[in-house]
């Protein structure tokens, strides 16, 4: 998703940036962007589930008339404050495990090519 797009863009623009800082920045950027897309539907869904509005149409009209378009982003920063630390930890862990796996896989493949008898 967005994380991979941002990771690649950062690698292209800042090739000397180590992978973990790159992962941290990409995770933050990806979560900010993802939250921007998800927040309006979450606000609408919560208002319908709470009974404030009966359906999507009345919810959209009600939110726009009471709060303007900004009403769809009520709670955006709270969600970001909750999600970003988790996402940074998740993506840094992912990159760490991926690098270990690829290093191990590369070593095993090299062993097979050279006739090394390494256990799998």
């Amino acid at each position: 998703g967005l994380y991979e797009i941002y990771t690649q863009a950062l690698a292209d623009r800042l090739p000397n940036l180590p992978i973990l800082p790159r992962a941290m920045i990409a995770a933050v950027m990806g979560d900010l962007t993802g939250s921007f897309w998800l927040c309006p539907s979450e606000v609408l869904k919560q208002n319908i589930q709470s009974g404030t509005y009966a359906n999507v149409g009345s919810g959209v009209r009600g939110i726009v008339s009471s709060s303007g378009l900004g009403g769809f982003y009520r709670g955006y920063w709270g969600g970001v404050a909750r999600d970003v630390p988790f996402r940074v930890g998740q993506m840094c862990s992912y990159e760490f495990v991926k690098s270990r796996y690829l290093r191990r896989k590369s070593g095993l493949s090299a062993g097979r090519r050279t006739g090394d008898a390494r256990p799998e």
Side-chain angles (χ1 to χ4, degrees):
L2 293 170
Y3 169 78
E4 293 295 336
I5 292 168
Y6 286 127
T7 302
Q8 187 59 53
L10 287 166
D12 293 345
R13 288 174 179 77
L14 302 168
N16 296 326
L17 185 65
I19 187 62
L20 288 182
R22 185 182 324 144
M24 293 171 77
I25 295 167
V28 170
M29 293 169 61
D31 215 68
L32 289 173
T33 306
S35 294
F36 182 78
W37 296 114
L38 293 174
C39 194
S41 63
E42 284 297 312
V43 168
L44 187 58
K45 178 183 78 172
Q46 290 171 10
N47 275 281
I48 292 169
Q49 287 176 344
S50 69
T52 305
Y53 301 108
N55 55 47
V56 172
S58 66
V60 169
R61 286 188 298 276
I63 292 169
V64 169
S65 69
S66 68
S67 305
L69 291 177
F72 288 104
Y73 292 93
R74 196 174 317 131
Y76 174 82
W77 291 111
V80 166
R82 176 198 65 210
D83 295 341
V84 164
F86 168 77
R87 193 75 61 219
V88 168
Q90 180 186 39
M91 300 320 293
C92 286
S93 298
Y94 165 76
E95 291 295 346
F96 176 78
V97 170
K98 182 174 91 172
S99 71
R100 296 289 184 195
Y101 170 76
L102 292 174
R103 190 177 310 154
R104 179 171 166 78
K105 183 179 174 185
S106 173
L108 290 174
S109 296
R112 281 193 210 109
R113 283 193 302 260
T114 62
D116 227 1
R118 292 188 190 177
E120 291 188 35

